[in-house]
Amino acid sequence: MYRASEHRPTQAVVNLENIKHNIQLYQTKKASHQQIYAVVKANAYGHGAIPVAKTAIEAGVTGLCVATVDEAIQLRKAGISNIPILVMGLTLPYGIAEILYYDLTVTVSDLSFFMLALEQLKKNQQETLLKDRQLKVHLKLDTGMSRVGLRTKEEVIAFVDGIQAFPWVDWQGVFTHFSTAGGGPISYIDFQWNRWQELVDLIPASVTLRHFDNSAMGLYKAIGGQSDIIRLGISLYGLNSRDTVPNDLVSDQQLADYHFSPSEVRNTESQLDLKLKPAFQLITELSYVKKVEKGTCISYGASYVSQEDEWIGTIPIGYADGWLRAYSQIPVLVEGHACPVLGVINMDQLMIRLPKQFPLGTEVTLIGQDGKYYNHPSLLARIAGTISYEMLTCISERVPRIYI
Ligand SMILES: *Cc1c(COP(=O)(O)O)cnc(C)c1O
């Protein structure tokens, strides 16, 4: 295996072909009027924003979504132009010049954004920026997530009225976010759908992009197909937002070995069943191997004591790499064996129990497949009491990403 660093073998291997494959699955499912925007916020869920964005564009997506203006600028600076980049989080108006210069689409849920932005441009004598370009915006509606967005008809009517005072604003879209499509009471989807329809009815017809699909809603038959844009996040990376574990990748035997019953983790809703392929692998190598005698204390706090004479491997990955202390119950894979972590996870290293002696430099898989086991992010997230979104976005910058 190619190594990103001569000095440390820990690395993430990102399979861009799998990302293309996942986009294609959605392309075959979507209605013909629907566009797919690739959600590449948080460094593309840890996969690397620039390579993932370029791959997604090659696969035919017609827009990108990020959380912050800085993430959007990073993409523009990498030469990604001529494609809309929607900043989905709320943005401060003070950076208006950059927003215009880099041709970003921002999310607003308040008219004061425009007032403050205009003041800022005047203050810096940058009003000329508005001569040859308009500020592209999408309005955010809060239909039940209670995060950001207008909530009532009165607020929407006031916004529709007030925005006319800002002819330099190009109001292109309106969107909302469903909070339970990826988990939680399904009936809440109907509640949000009703509120969405009530509010979106008040939006002028000139606002043509009306969207609410994330990965999970994109597969939600009843209404998912009505969203003009599918903001494709977790499924782009081959995972299901409910962290179900597909049986083509993880066997029932492995579930049993990992102490799960199939009913806990298998997908029971056939509409959510796509043959998604995870794109993220996390690997390292044994950096130290030794045999210890029974009763040897291992790791900080003497948090493990060997039960007998045991082979111990040390690997160069720890919580500063994003392999968090909360992951100590997750086995790692060595030559097809699932090896338990011993004691607490350190900042830069951790210890595992080996079934026998292995040579230094033997590959160790933290996320990915080795023999009959597939350390699938959704399965691992369940062991650690988290979600795959968090696990992947936490893999730190210290871990180099390589692309295949
Ligand atoms: C992150 C995000 C998405 C993507 O959600 P997934 O569940 O990863 O598909 C879509 N819309 C908004 C507003 C988001 O913040």
Side-chain angles (χ1 to χ4, degrees):
M1 172 65 74
Y2 167 83
R3 276 209 209 143
S5 165
E6 291 176 25
H7 310 292
R8 195 175 191 239
T10 303
Q11 58 191 23
V13 183
V14 177
N15 187 321
L16 296 172
E17 285 306 313
N18 287 1
I19 287 178
K20 274 192 186 162
H21 165 89
N22 298 328
I23 293 170
Q24 280 153 8
L25 287 180
Y26 270 81
Q27 281 163 338
T28 61
K29 285 262 170 185
K30 75 178 184 65
S32 60
H33 77 277
Q34 289 186 296
Q35 303 185 51
I36 297 179
Y37 278 27
V39 180
V40 295
K41 62 189 176 186
N43 199 27
Y45 293 39
H47 295 64
I50 294 164
V52 169
K54 289 183 171 166
T55 300
I57 292 167
E58 273 173 38
V61 306
T62 49
L64 302 170
C65 296
V66 293
T68 71
V69 169
D70 291 302
E71 290 176 336
I73 291 174
Q74 184 202 12
L75 296 172
R76 288 288 191 237
K77 284 188 170 162
I80 296 170
S81 50
N82 299 322
I83 186 161
I85 303 181
L86 173 62
V87 180
M88 299 186 296
L90 288 185
T91 292
L92 293 176
Y94 309 108
I96 182 67
E98 278 196 311
I99 292 167
L100 290 166
Y101 177 78
Y102 286 108
D103 189 23
L104 309 182
T105 307
V106 292
T107 297
V108 291
S109 61
D110 196 338
L111 290 169
S112 70
F113 180 90
F114 305 126
M115 298 177 208
L116 292 169
L118 192 58
E119 268 174 34
Q120 181 75 11
L121 288 174
K122 284 184 178 158
K123 197 169 110 198
N124 296 333
Q125 277 126 35
Q126 288 172 316
E127 283 166 279
T128 49
L129 274 174
L130 295 174
K131 278 225 175 72
D132 46 52
R133 58 188 99 200
Q134 286 187 298
L135 173 67
K136 296 173 180 164
V137 303
H138 287 212
L139 171 67
K140 185 73 183 276
L141 299 178
D142 175 11
T143 56
M145 174 82 180
S146 305
R147 189 162 59 181
V148 293
L150 301 182
R151 305 178 68 221
T152 65
K153 286 185 175 180
E154 293 69 36
E155 285 173 340
V156 174
I157 290 166
F159 185 91
V160 171
D161 234 29
I163 199 170
Q164 293 174 25
F166 305 96
W168 47 275
V169 173
D170 179 9
W171 185 10
Q172 299 185 329
V174 55
F175 72 108
T176 194
H177 198 53
F178 280 71
S179 64
T180 58
I186 282 283
S187 58
Y188 199 69
I189 291 180
D190 297 331
F191 170 80
Q192 284 197 260
W193 173 245
N194 290 334
R195 284 194 53 185
W196 164 253
Q197 284 192 303
E198 246 174 54
L199 297 179
V200 92
D201 251 7
L202 305 168
I203 306 291
S206 57
V207 180
T208 52
L209 297 171
R210 297 159 182 243
H211 54 107
F212 51 83
D213 275 357
N214 53 9
S215 299
M217 282 299 291
L219 298 173
Y220 196 73
K221 271 279 163 15
I223 50 181
Q226 300 180 48
S227 175
D228 292 319
I229 295 172
I230 304 174
R231 307 184 302 260
L232 194 61
I234 197 75
S235 292
L236 191 67
Y237 308 103
L239 303 168
N240 182 296
S241 40
R242 287 171 186 260
D243 278 325
T244 55
V245 179
N247 42 18
D248 58 328
L249 298 179
V250 178
S251 68
D252 281 349
Q253 183 58 53
Q254 181 181 349
L255 290 186
D257 292 350
Y258 281 47
H259 311 294
F260 283 101
S261 71
S263 62
E264 283 176 273
V265 303
R266 294 298 192 205
N267 194 352
T268 51
E269 294 156 70
S270 58
Q271 62 181 356
L272 295 180
D273 209 11
L274 290 181
K275 295 250 177 289
L276 296 166
K277 294 185 181 171
F280 196 92
Q281 227 187 317
L282 181 62
I283 57 172
T284 186
E285 292 174 1
L286 289 174
S287 56
Y288 206 79
V289 175
K290 60 181 173 285
K291 190 169 200 181
V292 300
E293 54 287 358
K294 179 177 174 177
T296 303
C297 294
I298 291 172
S299 195
Y300 283 115
S303 40
Y304 176 76
V305 181
S306 59
Q307 306 295 295
E308 50 197 322
D309 292 1
E310 292 175 12
W311 281 103
I312 308 295
T314 301
I315 56 175
I317 185 167
Y319 58 79
D321 299 292
W323 202 252
L324 308 180
R325 283 168 53 104
Y327 300 170
S328 62
Q329 298 307 311
I330 296 177
V332 306
L333 308 177
V334 183
E335 303 258 315
H337 301 273
C339 303
V341 171
L342 303 179
V344 297
I345 292 172
N346 303 174
M347 186 185 291
D348 317 299
Q349 305 179 73
L350 61 85
M351 279 68 81
I352 59 177
R353 181 167 57 233
L354 299 170
K356 59 186 173 88
Q357 184 174 20
F358 287 105
L360 288 185
T362 302
E363 188 167 291
V364 179
T365 300
L366 295 108
I367 299 177
Q369 182 166 19
D370 181 1
K372 64 183 194 290
Y373 290 129
Y374 192 117
N375 267 4
H376 190 282
S378 293
L379 191 62
L380 306 189
R382 283 170 179 272
I383 295 172
T386 182
I387 55 176
S388 54
Y389 294 77
E390 186 177 59
M391 173 168 269
L392 294 180
T393 55
C394 280
I395 302 299
S396 73
E397 253 180 70
R398 189 164 78 181
V399 178
R401 272 69 170 171
I402 65 166
Y403 295 92
I404 53 173

